[in-house]
Amino acid sequence: MFFSRLVTRWKGLALTLLAAIATVWLGVTGQLGLYINPRYYVFTLIMAGIAFVLTIGALLVIPGPGEDDEHDHEHAGFNGPDGRRPNARDVAGAGRRRPLLAFGGSLTAVVIVAAAAVALLVVPPSSLTSAAVEQRSLNGSSNTLANAGPPPGTSDDTSAYSVKDWAALIRQGASADDLSGRTATLTGFVTPDADDPDNVFYVARFVVTCCAVDAQPVGVPVYSPGWSSSYPTDSWVTVTGAFEPNPSVLSAATTVVRPDSLTAVDQPAEPYVY
């Protein structure tokens, strides 16, 4: 019985400890950016450290076997709710069921903690993919794309423009004529155009305001017939090309990039934009 109660009490503390360790590990290995905005790194790591210390302290003060047994003996002589002592049959039935229930509760707690340990410490972290794009509207958040200004003038330097900047300009109505003469260099993961997946794909990134939960996908359409034979969905590419009206009659995108070069690349250390 003591073991069952011990495991049950440890479950919440063990889960908290695992979360704290996983958070610190992600910070040390430079992978915390897969889950939160970099401006929250310091705060998150400090809170994880505090949680670690407090959890260790709580584990050290869990009652030992002697204290738990004394507690049981104090309640052993209690009468039932009607003021009478339970009969021998009731006591025997409860006695037989109690070990089974205790074992079931202990086993459940161990499985939960083990599953959390695998999920947090064994399974490698990964960035959001096209599966999340399908659940969240691509270029659908006006707040995410609200910071772009008017189409750049002929003398403006656009070499530092990201996928987010170009996607915002197009969403705000910039046409191929407005962007004429401009060459974009875009790095992102490949996600197909829902209307014409054979000819058009998006170079996409996720914009993270706070954490991956609130991440919103943004992307720039690229016209490249047969693209999927060389660049699988979710692979990372760098595209360089000029803007032009979309030749596709199926795609809803009006302005696309016609690639002069299209190269497969590794996922960058910071896959999100902010």
Side-chain angles (χ1 to χ4, degrees):
M1 291 300 296
F2 168 73
F3 175 75
S4 172
R5 286 189 289 268
L6 184 64
V7 170
T8 301
R9 293 171 186 172
W10 274 38
K11 180 178 68 175
L13 294 175
L15 292 174
T16 302
L17 187 61
L18 285 171
I21 293 173
T23 300
V24 173
W25 174 72
L26 288 170
V28 170
T29 58
Q31 300 179 92
L32 195 56
L34 295 175
Y35 299 99
I36 63 173
N37 190 301
R39 67 170 173 263
Y40 298 116
Y41 281 4
V42 174
F43 172 78
T44 300
L45 291 173
I46 290 175
M47 295 307 295
I50 293 174
F52 179 86
V53 172
L54 293 179
T55 303
I56 294 297
L59 290 172
L60 294 176
V61 299
I62 288 180
E67 186 176 343
D68 229 52
D69 291 342
E70 291 176 7
H71 182 75
D72 289 342
H73 293 321
E74 289 175 3
H75 292 80
F78 281 4
N79 295 329
D82 57 359
R84 295 180 299 175
R85 289 183 178 275
N87 59 45
R89 181 178 299 176
D90 292 338
V91 171
R96 286 192 297 269
R97 291 192 299 271
R98 190 175 302 162
L100 293 176
L101 294 173
F103 176 76
S106 300
L107 182 61
T108 301
V110 170
V111 169
I112 290 174
V113 172
V118 171
L120 293 173
L121 301 176
V122 178
V123 177
S126 60
S127 61
L128 296 171
T129 63
S130 293
V133 174
E134 295 174 1
Q135 300 169 0
R136 312 174 193 188
S137 178
L138 182 67
N139 296 335
S141 174
S142 58
N143 291 333
T144 299
L145 298 174
N147 296 328
T154 55
S155 61
D156 294 332
D157 181 12
T158 59
S159 59
Y161 276 30
S162 67
V163 170
K164 177 184 175 182
D165 297 317
W166 291 117
L169 288 170
I170 294 173
R171 190 183 191 279
Q172 292 175 5
S175 66
D177 290 338
D178 295 324
L179 301 175
S180 177
R182 290 293 175 183
T183 297
T185 298
L186 310 166
T187 297
F189 65 90
V190 173
T191 188
D193 184 325
D195 300 312
D196 189 4
D198 294 329
N199 297 306
V200 181
F201 70 90
Y202 280 80
V203 176
R205 302 286 283 263
F206 279 90
V207 179
V208 174
T209 302
C210 176
C211 61
V213 174
D214 64 30
Q216 295 296 322
V218 298
V220 175
V222 176
Y223 183 78
S224 179
W227 61 268
S228 59
S229 61
S230 301
Y231 306 98
T233 297
D234 290 328
S235 62
W236 282 74
V237 297
T238 293
V239 179
T240 299
F243 293 94
E244 65 175 43
N246 191 358
S248 170
V249 296
L250 300 177
S251 175
T254 57
T255 300
V256 297
V257 171
R258 173 84 75 163
D260 295 324
S261 68
L262 179 55
T263 308
V265 297
D266 293 330
Q267 177 179 297
E270 290 191 356
Y272 306 141
V273 292
Y274 307 99

